Amino acid sequence: MLQFSGVSKTFVDREKGEGMVAIRDIDLSIEKEDLVCLVGPSGCGKSTLLNLAAGFERPTHGKVLVDGREVEGPSPRIGVVFQEPSLFPWLSVLENVALGLKVQGQPRREREERARQMLELVDLAAFENARPSDLSGGMKQKAVIARTLAMGPDVLLMDEPFGALDEQARKHMDMELLKIWQQERKTVVFVTHNIEEAIVLGNRIVLMSTHPGEIFKEWNVDLPRPRDMFSGEASALRQEISTALQQVL
């Protein structure tokens, strides 16, 4: 579904005439409907990897492929959710969720119907006429997720989307994301610094090392859902990932 084949990315400082290798020789395949979590220290290239998958950047070497076709730029097939919710304060929640469809030229009735379906999915149907300022941080991210899903992407890229929330709100949003993933069956790539969050969410966890960013280790997580983070298996996995993370710092 989503494939990184020999992908490297170098950013060039034009003033100094020097290049900084952000990621190097990334080979990673993510199957359809999978939920993969990327973890690693700051600066290891997790966000760069997502920007390449989204088509915001082009690799210096290698290819990023979706269903065997090279990613050459942003596409409606690939949705992105960032850490900070990007909602227009002068629009209602419904108008924000329907905005991408409006830009695509969909008739008002059709786009509003689709937007309402997505608001229902993320439990925000009662807030369609509210403004973003009326919403909590978690609710704003729900609205952003609804807007992204309204476009019908095959792949959902999430760059620490709940990182700014408090612990309780983050755990709640993790459960909400799992519910959405189980219903919509999107292919999800989720970046997080939080090992526990990665275990709760991921079918696979990919740890990246830094300077430059490379894949250090992967884990298949076959624990039953919902996952009990106090179980022996979850505790052992958390310790194993924590130990590996110390090796790449």
Side-chain angles (χ1 to χ4, degrees), residues 80-146:
V80 186
V81 178
F82 297 103
Q83 181 172 344
E84 294 297 328
S86 53
L87 299 172
F88 292 101
W90 58 87
L91 297 179
S92 70
V93 171
L94 180 67
E95 290 168 335
N96 268 287
V97 173
L99 185 60
L101 301 174
K102 181 179 181 180
V103 172
Q104 285 187 341
Q106 284 201 18
R108 179 174 179 176
R109 180 178 295 180
E110 292 180 13
R111 66 177 184 258
E112 288 188 352
E113 180 180 356
R114 173 67 174 171
R116 287 191 174 98
Q117 291 174 351
M118 294 302 100
L119 286 173
E120 186 75 33
L121 179 67
V122 300
D123 296 325
L124 282 183
F127 295 89
E128 68 169 60
N129 295 316
R131 290 292 189 269
S133 59
D134 300 323
L135 306 181
S136 68
M139 293 167 72
K140 288 177 183 177
Q141 280 295 50
K142 283 186 180 183
V144 172
I145 293 170

Side-chain angles (χ1 to χ4, degrees), residues 211-224:
H211 304 307
E214 298 177 319
I215 293 178
F216 183 76
K217 193 169 183 178
E218 297 185 38
W219 292 265
N220 290 317
V221 186
D222 53 7
L223 301 176

Side-chain angles (χ1 to χ4, degrees), residues 46 48 88 93 242:
K46 301 185 297 294
T48 298
F88 292 101
V93 171
S242 297

Side-chain angles (χ1 to χ4, degrees), residues 18 21 36 41 67 70 95 104 144 157 195 222 237:
E18 299 176 351
V21 182
V36 175
D67 287 341
E70 188 170 0
E95 290 168 335
Q104 285 187 341
V144 172
L157 308 174
I195 294 173
D222 53 7
L237 179 58

